[in-house]
């Protein structure tokens, strides 16, 4: 098994006008800001790093909560090396 991590962002109110969801998952802090603005998150990119969110300390703001969650991924028993075609 291998370990990975994701960032869970939970907003107090839906941040997108055409979407009712309040929970979102991202693979990096930078990916959060590809979807949301600093105003929607209520905190800047560098501030999240200074607050140690990548190290596991949650960010609890008035607009959202950001936590780093770990997960386990099953390793592949027989990894596929791609299709090999022979030339004639």
């Amino acid at each position: 098994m291998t370990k990975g991590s994701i960032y869970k962002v939970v907003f107090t109110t839906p941040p997108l006008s055409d979407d009712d969801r309040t929970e979102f998952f991202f693979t990096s802090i930078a990916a959060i800001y590809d979807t949301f603005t600093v105003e929607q998150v209520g905190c800047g990119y560098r501030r999240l790093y200074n607050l140690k969110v990548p190290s596991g300390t949650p960010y609890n703001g008035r607009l959202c909560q950001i936590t780093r969650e770990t997960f386990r991924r099953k390793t592949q028993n027989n990894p596929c090396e791609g299709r090999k075609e022979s030339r004639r």
Side-chain angles (χ1 to χ4, degrees):
M1 294 245 172
T2 59
K3 287 186 180 181
S5 65
I6 56 170
Y7 292 93
K8 179 180 176 182
V9 182
V10 180
F11 288 92
T12 54
T13 59
L16 304 173
S17 60
D18 58 343
D19 195 344
D20 290 337
R21 293 181 299 158
T22 57
E23 283 189 0
F24 298 87
F25 298 90
F26 299 93
T27 57
S28 68
I29 289 178
I32 295 169
Y33 293 98
D34 284 344
T35 305
F36 302 111
T37 64
V38 173
E39 291 79 19
Q40 289 172 312
V41 175
C43 182
Y45 176 84
R46 287 188 181 256
R47 177 141 169 81
L48 290 178
Y49 271 101
N50 292 338
L51 292 172
K52 308 279 189 230
V53 172
S55 300
T57 304
Y59 164 73
N60 293 304
R62 64 180 177 85
L63 300 176
C64 71
Q65 177 186 44
I66 301 174
T67 56
R68 181 179 176 209
E69 308 287 334
T70 58
F71 63 89
R72 294 182 186 265
R73 179 183 342 202
K74 183 180 181 315
T75 55
Q76 209 172 15
N77 291 337
N78 297 320
C80 178
E81 294 182 18
R83 184 176 170 187
K84 294 182 180 178
E85 296 183 26
S86 61
R87 292 186 175 198
R88 292 184 182 184

